[in-house]
Structure formats: C-alpha cells, structure tokens
Amino acid sequence: MPEESTPSATADQLQNLHLDEGTGERVSKTELKKRQKQRAQEEKKREKAAAAPAKPAAPKQSSAEEAEKELTPNQYFEIRSRHINRLRETKNPNPYPHKFHVTTDLRDFLRDYESLKTGEQLKDVEVRVGGRIYTKRSSGSKLVFYDIRAKGVKVQVMCQAQEATGDVAFEAQHEHLRRGDIIGVVGYPGRTNPKTRSEGELSIFARQIILLTPCLHQLPGEYYGFKDQEQRYRQRYLDLIMNDTTRNIFTTRANMITYIRNYFDSRDFIEVETPMMNAIAGGATAKPFITHHNDLNMDLFMRVAPELYLKMLVVGGLERVYELGRQFRNEGIDLTHNPEFTTCEFYMAYADVYDIMDMTEELVSGLVTHITGGHQTTFHAQTGEEYQVNWAKPWKRIEMIPALEAAVGEKFPAGPELHSDETNAFLKRVLRKMNVECTPPQTNARMLDKLVGEFIEATCVDPTFITGHPQMMSPLAKYDRQHAGLCERFEAFVCKKEIVNAYTELNDPFDQRLRFEEQARQKAQGDDEAQLVDENFCQSLEYGLPPTGGWGMGIDRLVMFLTDRYSIKEVLAFPFMKDEQKEKKTAAEIVGVEPQPEEGIRK
C-alpha cells in the first residue's frame, strides 16, 4: 500500500508555490515566469496596435449596375455602346435576334393567374412573354429579380440559378442585361413565398432570359422619373417608356376616334379621303402653308379644311360623308393651337343646322359617357382654375348679337348692315369703349369675332351653342330663314374654347359666288385668312347640292378636355417643336461603324 503524505511534506510544497495575481492561482515559480512573459508580449502587441494607424475598411463589393449609376449619361452611353458592339461582333449572345415567339399577353397573365395562392406554382404551364426591363435587383449570384413592362402593365420576373435551362449558363443570361433592355422570358406562373410578408407577388419564374434588344441609353432614375416638359415632347418614345399617364392619353385618344367612327358608320355615313394639297386654300378662313410641285412647277396649298371636297361628293350623290384627318394652318402656336391638327367633318344631305345641333349633343354626350363613365368631368386651366363640366344634353344656347348688345350696352346695326363701312366705324368705337384690342386688319368680321371672344366665349364653361352669326363671318353658311343678314350657323364652346363649328350649307351658286367675292374684298384689305374664289366648287353647286347640314369638330381639343390637359402638345404624339441645336454622337460614331454602300444611291 502507498505511503501516506505527512503534514510537513504538504507545507513544504505550498511554500514553493507562488501567487499568480492575474488569475489568483498558486503556481510554481517556473509557470509563473512563463505566464508573466506571455502577458508582457501581449501587452506590447496591444500597444503597437493602438499606435498603428487604423486600416481602411475593405470596400464593399458592388454590382456592375450599381457602379454604372455613378456614370454620367454620356459616359454610360459610350461604355454601353462599345459593350453591345462587341456582342454584335461575337454574337455571344446576338444582341439583336430576329425573332422571339411570344405566347402570353402580360395583361392576360395578370388576369388569369391572379387567384394563385402564396407559394403556389404551376410548373407545367409555360409562358413566353416579351417586355422592357424597368428594374433589376440581385440577391447574390444565384437569384435575380426583374420588373418588366408591356401593354401598359408590370410583372415581376424571378430568376433562380437552379431553374435555369438552355445552352447559356445562368450568369451569362443576366450579366449583359440592364434597365431599358427588351427581353424575352420563358418560364411558368407562380406566386412568391416571402419570409417578411404574408402575401407573395404574382411572378413569372424564369427558366430562360433572352436579350432581344439592348437599350444603349441610361434610363431616367425611378425616383425622379422623366418630367422635363420640353424633352418629353421631343423624346415622346422615352416619355411613353417612363410615364404611364402619357400612354393613357393616347389610348384614350384612340378610343375616342374609334367611338366617333362607329357613330357615323352606324348611321350610314361613308368615310372618305380628300386631297391634302390644293390649288386654292378653301373651306375655312385660315392662313395656309405653301408647298411646290416640281414636275408641274406650281405652288400648292396644304389644306386648311376638307369642306369643299366633301360637299362636292354630296353633289355627286354620296349623301352622308365624313372624314377624319389632318389640317394645316400657318398660324400661331400656343397652348391650344398646333400648325397641324386633326378634325372630323361630316356632311349630311336633307339635314339643317338644327338637326346637326341635336346630333352634336348626342354624339359628344355619348362619347363622354363612353370614355369617362358619366357626364361630369374636371378640367384644370393653365391658370389653375378648375372647371366642373356637365356634358349632359340639352346644352345651353346663346344668340350672338343680343348677347353682345347686353355685354357692351350698345344697339348693333341691323343684320343686313353688318358688313357696311358704317358698321366698321361702329365696331371700332365699341372696341375703344370696352378697351378691347383687335390687331389689324380691322375688318368687320375680325372685330366681331374679337368681341365674341371677350364677352361670350369667356362665359362658356359647360357645353354651349353660340348661334346667329352674321353672314359676312360665314361665307359657306346658308342665310337665316328668319333674320336677314344672319346665317344658320352655330359654334359649340367648352371651357371657353371652341370644339365644333356647323351650319346649314349654302347651296345657292349665285349667293356663293357673291360670298366668295366679299371674302376676296377682305383679303384685299389685308386679311390673310380670307378665302379666294374656288371656281371648281362654284361649278359643282351649279349641278345642285341638296339641302345639307355640315359639321366640323377639333379632335385634339376634345381629347384635351377629356384627359384634363391644358396644352395641346400633351395630346399630340409628336407636336411641332423648334429645332434643337445640339450635336450628339451616335452609337455608330462612338464604336466606329462605317455605313455600308447601298445599291442605287448616288453620291
């Protein structure tokens, strides 16, 4: 059995141990020295580290897309153009493929699969869609999200590496794609199952992404968007890419034109087309554009209205005709006028101005209901005024001369005298009295029109008919059956602006020639907008124009009111703009692509 330790031996051992003040333990002298040396070394390291300058933090790795956000638009354009040109040369991949087969409309996709539950996927249903990338988000190298848009709607595309198919690797499918690119997506429908939200987002789970057309330019940022008004008009394509409201305006415009066509087609009207270039600018009091025919060596006028041709067709037996088309007037440009604009005109045999008035109420009120769902609309003027417009029929009717007499406190000359020199002096005196300015030439028609604009049109917010125009203001309208010197004509105004002009057509060839001669007299006085004598039209009347009602409406202005836009440029796809004096390099110039010679083109 082992020997038992004695009390004296244990005391000797304790006496040889030393206290480690760092831990409170008692250790041998050798162990204590070892610990003290180690602590001294650690202390030196700490002092050295404290004295050394701080090391910069390792830069966070950012994606190529994030880095490109710091580039200016010109830098981005040059870099992107060179990158895409390399793809053009290598065809790996071809950045401009010929075809991608689309089987699914994005609008149908959103409607058909809206009922999918969170986490539900239909892997056996293939969808093939095309669209433009609006956002691209990466979560690591194996997961990429896109928001794409087409047909005015947006859908999320979820791309996972494990779902990728085809000959191209997952990373290679996505590394060339940027905001603005048009892509083809092959995948299946499903709803995501996020950890942070209770409801997932309806998405296309992509198996393959194909670049169809790259966007070489940097799209405006999602936050600030594309708001510069002038640039929106100059770059309407970019405006449509970035702003859904612009797309909605042109969709509404198209729907309005379709409704108008259906209205006339369903009432046995025939749509026709008449010449855009004429030897005489007739059909309206307006200043025309002049062009030149080289082969015939003759000047021609761009049409200001199709009226005379349409009435000649009625003479020929086409008793109900209409035309939707462009007119050209060489006049001022402002918020409601553009040099070229769209009108609809119709002519209806055996109708008069009162029939046309009823048709106008029916057509326009029905159109407003079809587009907006009701009769009440809101319109904001440039000044900030808000107009609540009630389009329901019947519309208010105002007689011109009595309304002017009430406004200016003067008795106007009788109708047969309204064209006289005495009336000219009277109107000049009224203008001075009412402090209204009319620029030269101060013809009777121009001065009357100025007074109507100041004192009658300015009161017309809800749709209003102004009737009882003097004959000398309306060279193509038939005389009034009850009031000598006046004619059977009306103008319809909304929000203080004209939208419709109509009358019982003058079909008396004797009277028509006298009216044209009066217009020629006004032209001699300096009125550039007065009409000339159209001999061909006068001759057609000699064959007989049946009693006819005629009507014209400005499409652009009506679109403005129904889309709440005070500028006509907002409702024209490509409004007239002054030349922009800027020289910009093209993508071909940046990468040095030379034009190929084309057979048949002479230098």
Side-chain angles (χ1 to χ4, degrees):
M1 69 184 284
E3 294 185 9
E4 294 183 2
S5 59
T6 63
S8 60
T10 301
D12 291 339
Q13 289 173 355
L14 291 172
Q15 192 175 5
N16 291 330
L17 296 179
H18 301 272
L19 179 65
D20 184 347
E21 295 179 354
T23 62
E25 300 176 288
R26 298 187 72 84
V27 296
S28 67
K29 186 176 182 180
T30 303
E31 177 64 22
L32 179 60
K33 287 183 177 181
K34 181 179 176 183
R35 291 185 180 187
Q36 290 173 338
K37 184 178 180 181
Q38 184 178 357
R39 288 173 185 148
Q41 290 175 344
E42 289 174 353
E43 181 64 25
K44 285 182 180 179
K45 286 182 181 179
R46 283 194 293 269
E47 291 174 356
K48 186 176 180 181
K55 292 183 178 179
K60 184 179 179 181
Q61 294 294 321
S62 63
S63 65
E65 291 88 341
E66 290 296 324
E68 289 166 355
K69 287 182 180 179
E70 304 302 319
L71 300 175
T72 66
N74 287 339
Q75 290 172 331
Y76 181 94
F77 177 58
E78 291 190 12
I79 293 171
R80 182 74 166 149
S81 296
R82 292 191 179 98
H83 177 70
I84 296 303
N85 190 52
R86 285 195 295 272
L87 296 184
R88 289 177 64 247
E89 295 168 348
T90 63
K91 306 294 184 186
N92 186 28
N94 178 7
Y96 299 100
H98 288 70
K99 169 73 175 176
F100 176 78
H101 185 53
V102 173
T103 61
T104 307
D105 187 307
L106 275 189
R107 295 169 298 183
D108 296 336
F109 176 86
L110 293 175
R111 183 187 65 248
D112 294 344
Y113 300 109
E114 179 60 31
S115 61
L116 290 181
K117 296 179 176 58
T118 296
E120 185 178 0
Q121 299 175 357
L122 303 179
K123 293 192 175 186
D124 57 337
V125 177
E126 182 180 85
V127 296
R128 299 174 65 94
V129 302
R132 187 183 294 274
I133 298 174
Y134 271 69
T135 60
K136 179 182 180 182
R137 309 180 301 278
S138 299
S139 182
S141 60
K142 305 297 182 183
L143 179 61
V144 181
F145 292 93
Y146 297 98
D147 285 336
I148 66 170
R149 293 192 185 184
K151 303 291 183 65
V153 298
K154 181 189 78 169
V155 71
Q156 176 177 270
V157 179
M158 182 175 180
C159 310
Q160 303 171 91
Q162 67 268 28
E163 295 282 357
T165 61
D167 300 332
V168 182
F170 179 81
E171 291 80 3
Q173 287 186 28
H174 301 278
E175 64 178 338
H176 305 296
L177 303 183
R178 297 293 184 270
R179 288 185 68 228
D181 290 353
I182 298 171
I183 60 173
V185 181
V186 182
Y188 58 86
R191 193 175 287 276
T192 59
N193 189 13
K195 296 179 181 178
T196 57
R197 297 194 312 273
S198 60
E199 185 177 355
E201 183 171 351
L202 180 61
S203 306
I204 298 174
F205 289 77
R207 290 194 171 108
Q208 193 175 5
I209 301 287
I210 301 165
L211 175 62
L212 302 180
T213 308
C215 177
L216 302 182
H217 289 273
Q218 192 176 46
L219 289 187
E222 299 165 58
Y223 181 77
Y224 292 104
F226 187 47
K227 303 300 181 185
D228 185 286
Q229 200 170 62
E230 181 169 337
Q231 290 306 313
R232 284 179 48 240
Y233 302 150
R234 292 187 184 278
Q235 298 176 277
R236 185 64 88 186
Y237 46 88
L238 184 55
D239 185 23
L240 286 164
I241 289 172
M242 297 301 300
N243 298 311
D244 285 340
T245 53
T246 302
R247 178 189 179 88
N248 294 338
I249 288 171
F250 295 120
T251 301
T252 299
R253 182 189 179 101
N255 291 337
M256 290 172 63
I257 291 173
T258 299
Y259 181 93
I260 292 168
R261 275 201 168 98
N262 290 339
Y263 178 88
F264 291 116
D265 291 344
S266 65
R267 286 161 177 78
D268 204 27
F269 281 80
I270 298 172
E271 184 174 8
V272 297
E273 295 172 303
T274 59
M276 291 279 188
M277 295 182 295
N278 310 285
I280 291 177
T285 53
K287 189 174 181 178
F289 283 98
I290 301 174
T291 186
H292 186 79
H293 193 294
N294 291 332
D295 197 36
L296 298 178
N297 191 28
M298 65 182 293
D299 285 341
L300 295 169
F301 299 100
M302 301 299 291
R303 75 175 182 193
V304 295
E307 177 171 343
L308 303 186
Y309 285 108
L310 292 173
K311 285 194 279 195
M312 285 191 274
L313 293 176
V314 178
V315 170
L318 298 181
E319 295 179 352
R320 296 187 177 196
V321 294
Y322 77 96
E323 181 171 11
L324 273 157
R326 297 295 248 187
Q327 318 308 328
F328 308 86
R329 299 186 181 179
N330 195 359
E331 299 169 350
I333 300 174
D334 58 29
L335 289 173
T336 58
H337 294 88
N338 194 68
E340 55 178 310
F341 56 98
T342 303
T343 66
C344 177
E345 292 201 15
F346 80 80
Y347 293 84
M348 183 178 178
Y350 312 111
D352 65 10
V353 71
Y354 303 105
D355 299 317
I356 303 303
M357 209 175 288
D358 294 338
M359 288 181 67
T360 302
E361 289 178 332
E362 180 184 46
L363 168 60
V364 178
S365 294
L367 171 63
V368 172
T369 302
H370 175 74
I371 295 298
T372 68
H375 287 121
Q376 198 81 20
T377 63
T378 302
F379 180 74
H380 294 86
Q382 185 192 23
T383 57
E385 292 177 275
E386 180 179 290
Y387 301 127
Q388 296 296 326
V389 186
N390 182 6
W391 300 82
K393 58 182 183 179
W395 294 358
K396 184 179 179 181
R397 304 183 183 196
I398 297 176
E399 289 190 46
M400 179 186 292
I401 299 301
L404 284 179
E405 290 176 339
V408 304
E410 297 274 356
K411 182 67 177 176
F412 275 60
E417 304 301 322
L418 287 173
H419 70 287
S420 66
D421 292 338
E422 291 77 9
T423 300
N424 186 276
F426 167 80
L427 291 173
K428 288 179 179 177
R429 180 172 62 78
V430 170
L431 288 175
R432 288 193 299 271
K433 171 187 173 182
M434 304 307 294
N435 197 28
V436 175
E437 182 180 354
C438 177
T439 57
Q442 290 186 331
T443 62
N444 294 13
R446 284 174 56 85
M447 288 189 286
L448 266 175
D449 189 58
K450 190 68 177 177
L451 289 169
V452 170
E454 287 288 330
F455 300 110
I456 302 179
E457 295 173 11
T459 68
C460 302
V461 174
D462 286 344
T464 304
F465 293 122
I466 299 177
T467 63
H469 294 66
Q471 283 180 271
M472 50 83 179
M473 293 181 72
S474 313
L476 299 170
K478 200 175 183 74
Y479 66 87
D480 191 287
R481 280 166 268 192
Q482 297 177 344
H483 303 94
L486 305 184
C487 61
E488 293 191 354
R489 174 188 177 189
F490 73 79
E491 292 177 289
F493 283 80
V494 178
C495 297
K496 308 179 183 181
K497 301 294 181 183
E498 178 195 346
I499 59 168
V500 171
N501 185 27
Y503 30 82
T504 303
E505 298 296 334
L506 179 61
N507 61 344
D508 179 344
F510 304 95
D511 194 1
Q512 182 63 81
R513 183 170 293 279
L514 293 175
R515 300 278 192 92
F516 275 149
E517 288 175 358
E518 169 63 19
Q519 286 281 298
R521 188 177 75 85
Q522 292 183 19
K523 202 169 193 68
Q525 291 178 343
D527 189 350
D528 291 335
E529 297 182 355
Q531 299 181 51
L532 293 171
V533 179
D534 190 320
E535 292 292 349
N536 189 31
F537 175 66
C538 288
Q539 185 180 41
S540 74
L541 293 186
E542 295 168 0
Y543 284 85
L545 172 69
T548 298
W551 177 93
M553 179 172 73
I555 299 296
D556 310 306
R557 199 167 288 179
L558 192 58
V559 176
M560 291 167 60
F561 292 136
L562 296 192
T563 58
D564 193 12
R565 294 292 180 273
Y566 62 76
S567 171
I568 194 173
K569 291 182 178 179
E570 293 284 358
V571 303
L572 299 175
F574 298 99
F576 184 83
M577 304 290 289
K578 291 182 180 178
D579 283 341
E580 191 176 26
Q581 302 299 327
K582 286 185 180 179
E583 290 189 11
K584 298 179 180 179
K585 282 190 175 182
T586 65
E589 291 171 333
I590 287 172
V591 302
V593 173
E594 295 292 331
Q596 297 296 316
E598 184 75 19
E599 184 179 355
I601 295 180
R602 294 169 293 184
K603 292 185 178 179

